[in-house]
Amino acid sequence: MLVGNIKPKSENRSDTDFLTIFNTSLNLPNTFADYFRNNFMNRITIIFSVLLFLFSFSVHAQQEEKKQEIGKITGRVIDSASGEAVEYAAVSLQRMEDGKVVNGATADEKGIFKLENVAEGNYKLIIDFIGYQKKENKNIVVSKENPTVILKDIKLSGKQKVLKEVTIAAEKSVIENKIDKMVYNVDKDVTSQGGVATDVLKKIPQVDVDVDGNVELQGNANIRFLINGKPSVIFGNNIADVLQSIPSSQIQSIEIITSPGAKYDAEGTGGIINIILKKSTAQGINGNVSVSAGTRLENGSFNLNARKGKFGVHANFNGNAMLTSSTVNQMTRKSTDTTSTTILTQNGNTDLTRRSYQGGFGFDWDLNDKNSVSGSVGIGYYGVVNDGGAGRTTLARDGFGNTLSNVHDSLLTNSYFKAHWYNAEISYKKKFKKEDQELEILLNTSTGLDVSYFDQTQEFISPVNIYNGSYGNNPSTQSLTNVEINYTHPLPKDVTIETGAKLTMDHDYNVNDIYLLNLANSNYDYSTSQSSTMDFFRTIYAGYLSVQFKLFKFLDVKAGSRYEYTQANADFSNSGNMTFAPYNTLAPSAIISHKFKKEQMLKLGYTHRIQRPDYGDMNPFVNATDPKNISTGNPNLLPEIGDKVELSYSQPVAKKGNFSATLFMRNNTNDIQWYTYFYPTYKVGDSTYSNVAVRVRENIGHEDNYGLNLFASVPFGEKLNIRTNLSGFERYIFSGISSTADVHGFNYRANLNITYQLSPTLVLEAFGNFNSPRINAQGTMPSFTTYNFAFRKQLFHKNASIAFTATNFFNEYVNQKTSLTGDNFTLENLRQLPYRSFGINFTYKFGHLEFKKEKEAEDPNLTNPPGN
């Protein structure tokens, strides 16, 4: 049925319009609140029902447990000068043989501490408290013959200068290399102040970020992104936009996992990037506020933490805006057939604006020494608006060079994308009497409500005459639910087994309502042939087993395998139901490492990974916002399979410095990439477009990569630190879908970061980055250079700071010239992206930190501990 409509103006769309379009098109209840209440809240109810069950289970477990003390260490901490008790001193117990911390406690108001359930062995006791020098007691032996060790008074000597206000923070380097991942500590990064997650990722070794914010890890864009270790529907949309909506002031650290073990999902042939948001575990009430303003970006964030004893809560809210940014576009496409050559020239500009916010609330509760529960809920929004126009010339010549036609017209486009998302999670962790034995149950769920809109008008220039127009409203829902259980069990002789299972349920429903301009009456009529719906379901059942052990007494080995069974089906309104054949994925992984005496580490890793096409890749809906350059999905895509071998070496350099070198070799089969075809005419429903390039996701064949990454962070004295990262890889692409030849080429990247501590409260930093041209299946992506300068001044006894940043201050634009070759066409495209920016950031930390703990029952054996 055709429905007459007047085309709406995209720039006047509000969130009310968003919800109206969403509810009407998806036949949802009358209000968004109804939908939220009937769906998302149902899952919230389930989560807290699970929490209640787990709480009951933990109470029952406590009642059933019987104390089986192996050994005990007790003592008292006093001031060496006054002889008075040092209240709430921190006590930790380490094994002498390997330095591993196995137990810990806090002294009470009388300075008395006790460590229970201590296994037989030789230990070192470390006592520390603010204002005192750290004290170590070595060779404390617990045995069957002497299970209870009562120490003499431990005397702490005061430091020469005691600060009235102290910020407790472990002194970390910017980069930390661990056995299975690399950690980038964001608070050490000055030039990212006032920026977004993308600005931070540019600094991290083995990570490449182009000027549009697209991220690659070791040259692979198929990355599994997590937030606080959890997947979210927020990453089901444009990942580049999402990363540019998270303020860097909200990020505590970013973990790079290039060789994930069996415990991790097998998804993501490039590896895993885990973004850890800020949260404090200190006692008391504390938090921070950060506000940034600039010529291109504005953002702000607020964090609040409160903890009393074993219960803590945290809340956060942040917002981000990119001011209107105008990109200049110039495209020339030359196409040929048996009788003629056509040259399309299109020049114009696109104005882009972005807005986002997100917030959340969470808690963690130590029910007792063995059982703990944590949970959180969150909301978020981001929206992108594009407004553009271009003038076009289409020149056609015959084989002798004679002009067949010369058409001048113009294109006006408007589009926006708005997404609301909601998530909730709950986790339960149980520790057992045996050290490192642990059970963990997790449940998280997230829902996304999206609306995309476009309209386009084409008109001849002389005389002005509209000859084509259309618009589309495209609401969608996404829901993602994960249920996971993990269990760790230590065995004798330093052997540890990990096992677990996971269920993932993904549901995506998408509506594409298209309206075409009726030139006879100037109305927009609903197109039954171009409009469509998609209902996509996918379920993944997974289980894993891994073991960690010593081999030949000098190699640390962690090896395992993950099994995933995938079922999926989709209902496309224009092509009917499609049931995809279920498939099995067996993903083995292994890491073998050796740690030398001076903290040097050599590591060899292997992983087998999979990249499943998502609903956006597979949706056959045709996006004709620009009728000369169309994009569409491919429901016949196969999963991409990746195998990678990685050899790395790392060592500390001087104080707080480090060096690492990584060699890798990766092979991808059924490689998923964008591919462009050219058609003299292309039919979409009841419309036929001429001289069209169609961009589609394809399994292009297979790809091999061989690369090397070098990273060094070197301090020069106490004030100067230089970090540099050099990476390069040779890429071979073996295409199986086109007559174009197989391609290969060398890609490299280099950056340099210089930090200078001008004074205890003033630091300067400069950062420069260069990316070489990169090849793909059909051509090359351009090289680019970016650079930043920043300084940060700490104020108010280091409780506040002000920072200034400048990016590409000598050049207004970054020029991106792209070459593309396909069957019967070549394309040259030049984009000039505005990149120069200046910004200022103010951050303030507030709150009071408490060190007291809940009073414990007194041990009668320690009422009057023996004297010195």
Side-chain angles (χ1 to χ4, degrees), residues 292-351:
S292 301
T295 57
R296 292 187 66 238
L297 282 178
E298 295 178 343
N299 62 57
S301 66
F302 171 77
N303 291 274
L304 180 65
N305 306 280
R307 178 172 295 276
K308 181 66 175 178
K310 297 179 179 180
F311 186 78
V313 295
H314 56 90
N316 68 83
F317 185 83
N318 63 77
N320 171 269
M322 188 181 80
L323 307 181
T324 301
S325 175
S326 185
T327 299
V328 179
N329 302 278
Q330 301 175 30
M331 184 196 75
T332 300
R333 187 175 70 223
K334 182 179 180 180
S335 57
T336 60
D337 58 28
T338 56
T339 60
S340 64
T341 299
T342 302
I343 299 175
L344 170 67
T345 304
Q346 182 169 303
N347 298 318
N349 66 282
T350 302
D351 294 336

Side-chain angles (χ1 to χ4, degrees), residues 714-746:
V714 183
F716 293 89
E718 295 294 326
K719 295 186 175 182
L720 179 64
N721 182 276
I722 296 178
R723 300 198 309 270
T724 185
N725 183 59
L726 303 172
S727 64
F729 62 93
E730 184 78 12
R731 169 176 286 171
Y732 295 84
I733 299 176
F734 304 93
S735 176
I737 64 172
S738 173
S739 60
T740 55
D742 298 334
V743 296
H744 71 91
F746 185 70

